[in-house]
Amino acid sequence: MAIRCTNLILLTIIASISSALRPNMIIFLADDVGYGDLKSYGHPTQEWGPIDDLAEEGMKFTSLYSTSSLCSPSRAALLTGRLPIRIGVYGKLMNFYLQSPNGLPKDEITLPEILRDVGYATGMVGKWHLGINDYTPMSGVHLPHYHGFDWVGTNLPYTNVWECDETKRHMDAPDPFNCFMYNNETIIQQPFSHQHLTKTFVDEVSTFIKQQTEKDKPFFLYLSFVHNHVAMFTGKDTKFTSRRGIYGAGIRELSWGVGEIMKKIKSLGIDNNTLIFFTSDNGGHIELCSEGGNNGILKGGKANYYEGGIRVPGILRWPGQISAGTINSNIVSQMDTFTTFVNLAGGKAPSDRVIDGRDITQQIFGSLKLKNETKTEKRILFFYCNDMLFAVRYGSYKVHFYTMPVKSKEEYTDTCGEGGFPSTMYFNCLYCPSDCVIKHDPPLIFNVDADPGEEYQLDPALHKLLLLEVKYLLEKHNSGWIKGEDLLSAYNQPSQPCCDSSKPSCSCNYP
């Protein structure tokens, strides 16, 4: 009876928090930043920065998962609360490319759409990577403005790639066909310059926040940083250095950008009513040597489904509501952001479709206010590569039905030169299905609570009950299954963005 009463009191407190405060909400999304890249997550030489301050002042997740180890699927899931395979963000290209005529489907309901409908101002800057055009080079029908963002500033609708290198470390000059920047729906640079990029994001976001604060209107902001995806850079306005070299300098600039926004929030007096979530879209790209991320003790990285590819840093901060220095060791999905933010804003998640994200407000404001870690929840998460179910996380265990080979650091000598300098853009294994994908029957089993590095396989014969439970949950997961239409296989050359089609080079660096 006492436990039931305590739970009722807790639920009442949570309900009053969500109905009374309606916090401003900010998602800071890093790009390819690994679980071990930050000082607060254990990197021995990365400099401390404002992101680490967030971890000290709020809640740090130790078992937070992206839904995918690649950009487009993970971002689609974050904004919709749904597995990429349900949305259709799968296919042979694995990501949305420049020439993809598809994008995030219009009939998907996004987090900013729901928040906008309950009175929030919604804004976005940074990397999008969820589609651009359909069958013409400048239609822009898949851009963020069409998915719930009322204000969209400077953005990269595709991404920052190896071919955009301006340092001359890898390229003589950037390739304009791969490197372009928009403001809302208009190309403003092709190729784009990195030199003031992070500062531009910061300045535009600061203005957006100030405007909404003056209107006394709650806001949702999605700041999707370019760091630390290749090509590596630090801008003229920052020019950070690091003991880790150019990669560490990029982490410092990323953290600087977060810190500048935090300064603005505090100066406007809205710190106590602003919920911050920092995370990364997937794990670090380990094949890029010293210019790729660090996933700490976790095995693997970007493009595979060992822990290093999908377990990512995650920090929640909300002064007065989330206790400083809290460690959350429960199994959490980035998709939970969707449902949790919707409920805190007083909105309702769609009831006409499966929403895979959970409302984790009780975990955030309840039992996990303790500073010690808690028992692992017996929750299951599903990880698809393309439309192949690669692995599940279930309670303390990770079960792999397929894997990709992971090289040791010593085996990268053919692609990593002096000091770890990468000689090429490279994945050891990327596509699935492909010859490099390994099927496991019986599946591989690891206890990732005891063995997060997935070094010691467990004997399937000794874990028959576990496998039966997983089989039952898979059958339940698959019942009434509706797989979305494949959106990542179509390719259409005229979809390639071009600032001026009369110029063969598509080069238009406007003043």
Side-chain angles (χ1 to χ4, degrees), residues 186-201:
T186 304
I187 291 183
I188 56 174
Q189 285 185 13
Q190 190 172 10
F192 68 84
S193 170
H194 295 90
Q195 292 305 314
H196 304 284
L197 191 57
T198 306
K199 186 175 187 301
T200 297
F201 293 164

Side-chain angles (χ1 to χ4, degrees), residues 391-422:
V392 299
R393 170 79 196 260
Y394 179 50
S396 296
Y397 298 94
K398 183 87 167 293
V399 179
H400 292 270
F401 306 104
Y402 298 90
T403 60
M404 294 172 170
V406 176
K407 289 184 177 182
S408 67
K409 294 292 185 183
E410 292 76 16
E411 292 177 289
Y412 286 122
T413 53
D414 55 338
T415 55
C416 298
E418 176 70 19
F421 181 78

